[in-house]
Amino acid sequence: MKYQIPKGLFDILPYGADQDWRFTNQWQYAERIIHHLSRDYGYLEMRTPIFEKTEVFHHSVGESTDIIAKEMYTFLDKAGRSMSLRPEGTASLVRAFVEKNLSHQGALHKFYYIGPMFRYERMQKGRYRQFHQFGIEAIGPMSAEIDVEVIDFLNEFFNRLGLKEITIQMNSVGTTECRIKYKKKLLKYLSPHFNNLSKDSQLRFEKNPLRILDSKDPHDIKIIEKAPSILDTVSKEAKEHFDKVCKLLTNLKIQYKINDKLIRGLDYYTNTVFEFTSSHLGAQNAIGGGGRYDSLVKSFGGPDLPGVGFAAGLERIIQTMVAQKVNFPSLSFPFIYFIPLSSAVREYCFEKTTELRHLFIPSEIDLDAKKIQKSLQKAIRAEAKYCAILGDEEWQNKQIQLKNLATREQKNIALDKIIPILKGYWQDFSQNNKLL
Ligand code: AMP
């Protein structure tokens, strides 16, 4: 019997992956950029557990959101306590921030996280049940500059990945009070249209009417077009903050569109919200989004510190990179590939392979070498840069054949020179390829 992976999950493999965006080198490439970028912007990595007490998510994400109402992987542990696999990263990060009293050290706290999230969603392209998010959170005094730092960070991430045709949408949802006011206005506007709304939107009418603005249903979209704008309802301070954010973005020449219907699916957002979309993805085109959450830290029992952050979905990002034919470097290859052509020389080659590995030089050996052509093919497939071929004849002459697989150039070198020569080649290669 052959076991199968559950629906909505996938393997990321070094080779033999079932889709063109599920190769390890693509993921490692994106992850390297994430770690470098976070360093450049001064964000520190936080790693929280994969599951938490269910109430952590209920409290922050919001009871009436789709995530909580329909999509959580919730289970009872052996002691009967309700636990949930994390559906997003902010709740756990804020829980840890408050629980471990991190606010005592410094004024502005900048963190990032990367890892799998879990939502029991209807399967379709761009929607998985285990997916990966990279996100950042800046917790500390509120300023428009921090909002823009976070938006610029995400924009720079996409630049470094080589992505094109990304659109940024901006909106402000104001404070909780602004939203209560707006909810009333919206319900008044929607009431006469109730019977024409989609089933989903009719359900949201009672529980979470703002989410109706997110509807993809064509009839709903027509009705929503003429709905009052939340930007006309938000307070003077919220409007001023939003205008400042927009001005700073313009100063940085970051292009954006204002979309006063952008709400986002989590309840904790206040003031600025934003979303990045790609034109290469079809229906599920959001590749990252976020916003401010000015009361979340306090609501967890922490200090009254506002925060702002984003989360970006790595599946959709890598899919977009593949669609846009971004060149993924192969991050793992042997620099030198030994081919011992007889059992007599195998031991020697094995020792040299090990010695080079101890010198931080990626090395491989074909322990099954029989025919030179076959072994050379293996070396080429593994993307080796050099081959060291040793047969009985070379062994007797105390020499080894060194072949540059890119230029096909080959020469015989003395056995006792092999290590220093390869060390020199490796140094040149790694300097040219920024590997050191
Ligand atoms: P959200 O937390 O819903 O705002 O999601 C942030 C980002 O995560 C989105 O822009 C998507 O790129 C990604 N994302 C959310 N849900 C899924 C999912 N089920 N499968 C794949 N990516 C997702």
Side-chain angles (χ1 to χ4, degrees):
M1 154 137 185
K2 240 180 166 178
Y3 292 107
Q4 280 178 350
I5 192 165
K7 228 169 143 179
L9 275 58
F10 57 89
D11 298 308
I12 299 169
L13 302 176
Y15 50 87
D18 53 4
Q19 300 241 355
D20 58 7
W21 52 273
R22 294 179 180 172
F23 287 93
T24 320
N25 71 312
Q26 301 167 328
W27 287 74
Q28 285 189 343
Y29 178 55
E31 282 157 13
R32 276 194 187 198
I33 291 182
I34 286 170
H35 294 299
H36 277 152
L37 189 61
S38 301
R39 183 201 60 193
D40 295 347
Y41 280 75
Y43 285 70
L44 305 173
E45 190 182 6
M46 202 191 272
R47 299 187 189 192
T48 60
I50 299 288
F51 66 90
E52 298 264 353
K53 291 182 181 159
T54 302
E55 64 231 37
V56 169
F57 305 115
H58 276 233
H59 169 74
S60 57
V61 178
E63 305 270 349
S64 60
T65 58
D66 282 355
I67 296 179
I68 299 299
K70 301 190 202 151
E71 298 169 359
M72 283 243 284
Y73 278 92
T74 297
F75 59 96
L76 295 179
D77 71 6
K78 297 227 187 275
R81 287 171 295 227
S82 181
M83 301 286 168
S84 293
L85 299 185
R86 60 183 187 190
E88 57 101 54
T90 306
S92 314
L93 190 140
V94 171
R95 192 267 310 137
F97 178 76
V98 172
E99 187 186 349
K100 302 297 183 305
N101 291 318
L102 301 190
S103 65
H104 292 331
Q105 300 173 27
L108 183 62
H109 309 269
K110 307 207 288 188
F111 306 109
Y112 74 102
Y113 61 84
I114 169 169
M117 307 293 160
F118 307 85
R119 294 183 195 172
Y120 193 82
E121 300 210 63
R122 213 159 36 85
M123 261 294 298
Q124 52 181 299
K125 184 169 182 268
R127 271 202 188 286
Y128 309 95
R129 290 182 176 166
Q130 172 174 304
F131 60 99
H132 299 76
Q133 283 187 341
F134 154 50
I136 69 169
E137 314 291 352
I139 302 172
M142 179 171 176
S143 82
E145 280 83 359
I146 302 293
D147 296 28
V148 174
E149 174 176 305
V150 167
I151 295 165
D152 173 58
F153 187 126
L154 188 53
N155 196 43
E156 176 63 8
F157 177 43
F158 295 138
N159 285 340
R160 289 195 192 183
L161 292 174
L163 289 185
K164 292 179 281 289
E165 293 161 51
I166 306 285
T167 306
I168 306 178
Q169 295 178 55
M170 300 284 306
N171 194 18
S172 172
V173 294
T175 58
T176 315
E177 295 77 52
C178 303
R179 278 215 302 281
I180 294 171
K181 251 201 215 159
Y182 178 68
K183 215 185 258 181
K184 273 195 198 137
K185 267 196 192 173
L186 183 65
L187 285 176
K188 196 167 159 210
Y189 167 80
L190 287 175
S191 289
H193 300 285
F194 183 84
N195 289 332
N196 297 325
L197 286 172
S198 65
K199 279 251 140 42
D200 271 351
S201 292
Q202 287 183 349
L203 287 173
R204 285 175 175 153
F205 192 85
E206 286 289 318
K207 287 188 183 155
N208 200 347
L210 262 63
R211 290 281 286 146
I212 296 176
L213 299 177
D214 253 2
S215 172
K216 300 277 184 289
D217 180 281
H219 295 292
D220 289 354
I221 291 175
K222 272 230 160 86
I223 298 171
I224 294 158
E225 257 171 24
K226 300 208 175 69
S229 169
I230 194 164
L231 289 173
D232 295 333
T233 312
V234 297
S235 67
K236 194 166 158 267
E237 295 79 52
K239 188 72 187 26
E240 275 171 13
H241 179 83
F242 186 60
D243 289 344
K244 179 91 192 282
V245 169
C246 291
K247 179 173 180 285
L248 290 171
L249 285 174
T250 307
N251 290 353
L252 290 177
K253 299 191 173 53
I254 296 175
Q255 288 184 5
Y256 60 88
K257 285 184 188 150
I258 292 181
N259 172 3
D260 61 6
K261 306 291 177 325
L262 179 70
I263 292 301
R264 302 197 30 81
L266 298 88
D267 276 359
Y268 51 63
Y269 286 116
T270 49
N271 285 303
T272 319
V273 290
F274 55 88
E275 197 151 275
F276 284 56
T277 51
S278 156
S279 50
H280 283 255
L281 283 172
Q284 301 305 321
N285 64 355
I287 51 173
R292 282 213 148 266
Y293 43 88
D294 290 336
S295 346
L296 189 63
V297 177
K298 189 165 178 229
S299 79
F300 265 91
D304 191 4
L305 282 179
V308 53
F310 69 69
L314 291 180
E315 286 70 15
R316 294 184 200 171
I317 289 170
I318 293 173
Q319 283 167 3
T320 311
M321 290 169 78
V322 171
Q324 295 187 355
K325 302 202 166 28
V326 167
N327 202 11
F328 289 95
S330 49
L331 295 171
S332 152
F333 53 81
F335 182 67
I336 173 81
Y337 194 93
F338 278 91
I339 304 179
L341 286 172
S342 75
S343 50
V345 298
R346 211 163 99 167
E347 249 175 48
Y348 174 83
C349 288
F350 180 66
E351 263 172 43
K352 292 295 141 191
T353 308
T354 310
E355 202 176 325
L356 287 163
R357 287 172 178 163
H358 293 179
L359 292 166
F360 301 93
I361 302 177
S363 311
E364 196 48 274
I365 176 169
D366 185 359
L367 290 170
D368 195 30
K370 289 186 189 84
K371 291 216 169 74
I372 186 160
Q373 278 315 325
K374 258 209 160 134
S375 293
L376 278 171
Q377 271 167 17
K378 281 193 219 169
I380 291 166
R381 229 179 296 131
E383 297 183 50
K385 308 300 164 210
Y386 286 92
C387 259
I389 306 155
L390 190 55
D392 288 332
E393 204 184 306
E394 287 99 352
W395 182 242
Q396 266 161 24
N397 297 334
K398 295 200 168 39
Q399 286 195 322
I400 191 163
Q401 219 185 98
L402 194 61
K403 191 177 173 83
N404 179 327
L405 287 175
T407 63
R408 303 262 144 188
E409 226 178 291
Q410 64 184 54
K411 52 186 165 195
N412 282 346
I413 55 173
L415 280 183
D416 58 357
K417 293 277 177 327
I418 182 81
I419 297 285
I421 285 181
L422 284 173
K423 256 170 93 174
Y425 286 178
W426 170 249
Q427 233 156 38
D428 292 346
F429 176 84
S430 46
Q431 249 153 24
N432 293 337
N433 292 278
K434 294 202 188 91
L435 284 171
L436 276 182

